[in-house]
Amino acid sequence: GTGIGSTDMATVMATGKLWFRVPEIIEIRLEGTPGPHIYPKDVILYVLGQMKADGAVYKGIDFTGPYVDQLDVAGRMVMCNMAVEMGAKCAYMQPNAGVLRFIDQRAQFPYEIQYTDEDYQYAEQHVFCLDGLTPQIAAPHSVDNVVGIESVGKVRIDQAFIGSCTGGRTEDIAVAAEILRGKHIPRFCRLIVIPASAAVFQDCMERGFIRDLMEAGAAISTPGCGPCLGAHEGVLAPGETAITATNRNFPGRMGSTGADIYLASPATVAASALTGMITDVRTL
């Protein structure tokens, strides 16, 4: 069961064991080929908009399909990370060669790869075609309030944020640097960039991405969550509007409950920082 009564709690205290329900598994199959400048964050936001925030409560997700098969490690991290925003207990993608290379460079002990049985019967199956997908935006105040960027309109922003576990990998910072290199953000807009780890920070410095972003007017901070949890390094004030590559946008998530938060890909965030308004990166 999902609850613990007084008798059960006594057993837990005596034995040190807990009972948990084994989650049902649902398949989310991703087919088709998104166009240029459509990123894994756009894909998972689109799925979230369709599945909704309660679409996988107490379930595990097995992401499958041609799109997943070619996806790199950073993209897989983005999508599996945000599975929890559908209520999922866990998410899995069967590894490709790039994933195995990533693991082999880091693993200190032998490991075993778990594959889904060919005849496995999922509790649910959902198929999404990604052909023609446009950049996706989760508008205030829910992660599943997702629309294509063409439906957002002209929204002025005070802050743009690239970072956190969902949007602070080398690949995320690289695409932002590519968009902003040789340019500068407007004076009324803040751009905060926080690498996800010390290793990512070092890699981005060596590749020149940090220099490019600083010259464009970005503030770079110590690896960590930053304003994603509304505690430090970019907390929003009442009435402010932010666009961010993070994973949640409910009221108060990044500071004041009176602020508006839009979720998007790092590319969309960088493009928006450049213009001071929510901007389709494909127009640059």
Side-chain angles (χ1 to χ4, degrees), residues 262-282:
Y262 291 80
L263 305 180
S265 74
T268 299
V269 173
S272 301
L274 182 60
T275 64
M277 303 182 66
I278 293 181
T279 299
D280 187 338
V281 65
R282 299 173 302 174

Side-chain angles (χ1 to χ4, degrees), residues 29-30 63-72 76 93-98:
R29 183 173 179 83
L30 302 175
F63 287 106
T64 69
Y67 180 80
V68 172
D69 292 342
Q70 57 78 44
L71 199 58
D72 62 15
R76 288 166 179 251
M93 295 177 176
Q94 298 187 55
N96 58 17

Side-chain angles (χ1 to χ4, degrees), residues 13 30 52 65 72 79 101 104 143 156 173 193 282:
M13 294 175 67
L30 302 175
K52 300 304 179 183
D72 62 15
M79 297 189 63
R101 284 195 300 270
D104 287 338
V143 70
R156 186 180 185 273
I173 295 172
V193 178
R282 299 173 302 174

Side-chain angles (χ1 to χ4, degrees), residues 201-220:
F201 202 164
Q202 183 70 33
D203 189 22
C204 290
M205 285 195 295
E206 292 173 354
R207 298 188 186 201
F209 302 150
I210 298 299
R211 181 190 63 245
D212 292 335
L213 291 169
M214 290 182 68
E215 290 177 351
I220 315 295

Side-chain angles (χ1 to χ4, degrees), residues 46-57:
Y46 172 69
V47 172
L48 266 161
Q50 301 299 308
M51 295 287 295
K52 300 304 179 183
D54 60 353
V57 171

Side-chain angles (χ1 to χ4, degrees), residues 214-272:
M214 290 182 68
E215 290 177 351
I220 315 295
S221 193
T222 307
C225 293
C228 179
L229 78 167
H232 55 97
E233 300 169 348
V235 174
L236 298 176
E240 288 194 316
T241 297
I243 186 167
T244 173
T246 54
N247 58 341
R248 292 179 179 172
N249 65 339
F250 54 75
R253 173 65 182 186
M254 296 180 68
S256 172
T257 56
D260 286 338
I261 304 169
Y262 291 80
L263 305 180
S265 74
T268 299
V269 173
S272 301

